[in-house]
């Protein structure tokens, strides 16, 4: 049985103890492997685990630490990679039979960076097919369950990573976010999740180097761990023409309060219908930030179903472009929903796709003056708590008979203004014990302000002591 206190020890504390000789990387990895055995049997968050290789690497790092040699700030710390991200010599299935036996001959830059910093890749986490959904349920790997209630979904598409972090299997994990795929599982599982500013972490895993909605991002249990992840993985990197420079100092001291900050509280948002526990938690979080010195003003925005449908049309072409070629051979074994998404994307004309930018431009015209006035925007990450299994995003993309938007996610719209960072912060639990996420949207390329807000909230409304019942 794993030592749960060790399982839930933050990465930065583990690293400090390894560095001062009071903790061995072998102990850390052995404990993580024990925890994974317990959790994975019940929740299905890992599709691959590397016990022998991880322990061999931990033993080597233990010897190095004793000799006073350290590979980097993550020396001996286990981490997990989403099974969408290429890993050298390791199967990368994308949750699909079409890639069931694909073994890349290279690591994505984010994997390289974590390894070069001394991290130990302990396994790969589950994702829906081609990372297409808010529900981590794939033909190849089955259902990934929520650690707070196994009858509820864990979110997607980085659902396995969300569960792995929330349950103490690893202190942080990598996810990808094209429409909320880091923030959705982070919110549903009760951890932090960051979609950094577009280009902050190099993204080279697509055949196109000019996509503008795709991000890598961390899922973590503490602000300091999230910052450590960002410090290690950020660019610039010449392999990604859109990667940002210069690098930011994510490890700089965090503020004690938010005096002088102006925050817009966005709950009047395109007639979205909020679960009452979600709205109450967001208002509670905003009040905590007000008490910390922030000036908070309620704002409104018009973005609604129409804007989410623009993103959906973009997503159809995205999936058709990058995965449409597998339909003839593997279509019958694919998730029927993702097959339909790809088929719709194949029918769009180039002109129709280019015209989506008109809508994106109008979205920015509305958002830009708000972000000129406010340092950041506060809103829910998800309009509803984690739903039950067997549903789909399409169930929630609808208006009711009164014209109200019955949304699930409040994330994909922010990928259409991808230069703006979006961070989800644990904001409490529903009456039924399901996590709620508070989302912070920052100004273009200002990744540090949302993190500062999270750090202040973490001190005043701590979440680290909350552990799911597993």
């Amino acid at each position: 049985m794993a030592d749960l206190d060790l399982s839930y020890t933050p990465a930065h504390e583990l690293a400090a103890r390894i560095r001062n000789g009071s903790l061995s990387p072998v102990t850390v990895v052995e404990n993580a492997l024990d925890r994974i055995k317990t959790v994975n049997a019940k929740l299905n968050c890992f599709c691959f685990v590397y016990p022998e290789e991880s322990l061999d690497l931990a033993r080597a790092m233990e010897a190095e630490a004793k000799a006073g040699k350290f590979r980097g700030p993550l020396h001996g710390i286990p981490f997990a990679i989403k099974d969408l991200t290429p890993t050298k010599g390791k199967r990368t299935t994308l949750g699909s039979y079409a890639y069931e036996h694909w073994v890349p001959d290279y690591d994505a830059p984010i994997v390289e960076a974590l390894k070069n910093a001394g991290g130990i890749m302990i396994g790969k986490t589950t994702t829906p097919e081609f990372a297409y959904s808010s529900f981590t349920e794939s033909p190849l790997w089955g259902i990934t369950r929520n650690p707070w209630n196994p009858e509820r979904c864990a979110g997607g598409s980085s659902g396995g990573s969300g569960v792995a972090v929330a349950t103490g299997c690893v202190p942080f994990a990598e996810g990808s976010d094209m429409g909320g795929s880091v923030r959705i599982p982070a919110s549903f599982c009760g951890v932090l999740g960051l979609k950094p500013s577009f280009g902050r972490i190099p993204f080279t895993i697509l055949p196109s180097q000019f996509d503008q909605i795709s991000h890598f991002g961390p899922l973590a249990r503490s602000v300091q761990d999230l910052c450590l992840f960002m410090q290690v993985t950020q660019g610039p990197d010449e392999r990604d023409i859109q990667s940002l420079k210069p690098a930011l100092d994510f490890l700089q001291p965090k503020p004690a309060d938010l005096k002088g900050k102006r925050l817009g509280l966005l709950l009047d948002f395109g007639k979205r219908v909020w679960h009452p526990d979600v709205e109450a938690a967001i208002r509670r979080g905003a009040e905590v930030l007000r008490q910390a010195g922030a000036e908070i003003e309620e704002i409104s925005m018009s973005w609604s179903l129409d804007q989410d449908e623009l993103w959906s049309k973009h997503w159809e072409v995205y999936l058709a472009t990058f995965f449409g070629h597998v339909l003839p051979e593997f279509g019958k074994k694919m998730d029927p929903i993702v097959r339909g998404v790809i088929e719709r994307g194949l029918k769009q004309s180039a002109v129709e796709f280019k015209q989506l930018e008109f809508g994106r431009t109008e979205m920015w015209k509305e958002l830009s003056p708000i972000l000129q006035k406010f340092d950041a925007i506060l809103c829910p990450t998800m309009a509803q708590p984690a739903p039950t299994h067997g549903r789909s995003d399409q169930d929630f993309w609808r208006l009711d008979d009164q014209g109200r938007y019955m949304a699930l996610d409040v994330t994909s719209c922010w990928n259409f203004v991808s230069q703006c960072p979006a961070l989800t912060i644990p904001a409490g639990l529903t009456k039924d014990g399901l996590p709620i996420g508070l989302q912070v949207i920052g100004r273009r390329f200002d990744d540090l302000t949302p993190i500062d807000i999270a750090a202040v909230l973490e001190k005043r409304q701590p979440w680290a002591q909350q552990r799911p019942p597993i």
Side-chain angles (χ1 to χ4, degrees), residues 297-441:
E297 180 181 326
E298 294 209 26
I299 62 174
S300 63
M301 289 180 62
S302 68
W303 300 358
S304 187
L305 177 61
D306 288 346
Q307 285 68 37
D308 280 359
E309 286 187 338
L310 287 178
W311 178 88
S312 180
K313 289 181 180 297
H314 189 287
W315 189 232
E316 290 168 359
V317 173
Y318 179 106
L319 289 176
T321 300
F322 298 125
F323 303 110
H325 64 283
V326 305
L327 272 183
E329 183 175 356
F330 294 99
K332 292 181 180 179
K333 299 179 77 174
M334 288 169 60
D335 181 323
I337 295 176
V338 74
R339 188 172 66 237
V341 170
I342 290 174
E343 289 170 346
R344 290 193 296 276
L346 291 170
K347 293 177 182 177
Q348 279 195 56
S349 72
V351 171
E352 288 174 319
F353 182 66
K354 189 67 176 175
Q355 286 174 339
L356 296 178
E357 295 174 9
F358 300 172
R360 292 180 70 175
T361 300
E362 292 305 310
M363 290 170 70
W364 178 242
K365 286 180 180 179
E366 182 174 356
L367 177 61
S368 175
I370 295 173
L371 287 176
Q372 290 177 47
K373 181 178 180 182
F374 296 97
D375 295 284
I377 294 170
L378 311 175
C379 70
T381 309
M382 307 300 292
Q384 309 294 325
T388 54
H389 301 293
R391 304 187 70 182
S392 72
D393 295 289
Q394 285 82 352
D395 295 341
F396 299 90
W397 288 336
R398 62 183 179 85
L399 303 178
D400 69 5
D401 53 11
Q402 299 175 51
R404 299 181 304 172
Y405 184 17
M406 312 303 290
L408 179 63
D409 78 81
V410 196
T411 57
S412 56
C413 54
W414 304 113
N415 288 71
F416 255 10
V417 288
S418 58
Q419 292 80 3
C420 297
L423 171 62
T424 182
I425 309 167
L429 303 173
T430 66
K431 293 182 178 69
D432 296 332
L434 295 171
I436 298 166
L438 166 65
Q439 190 170 205
V440 184
I441 312 302

Side-chain angles (χ1 to χ4, degrees), residues 31-44:
N31 194 70
L33 291 169
D34 285 344
R35 184 62 173 154
I36 289 170
K37 284 181 183 178
T38 299
V39 170
N40 211 40
K42 299 177 181 178
L43 303 179
N44 185 33

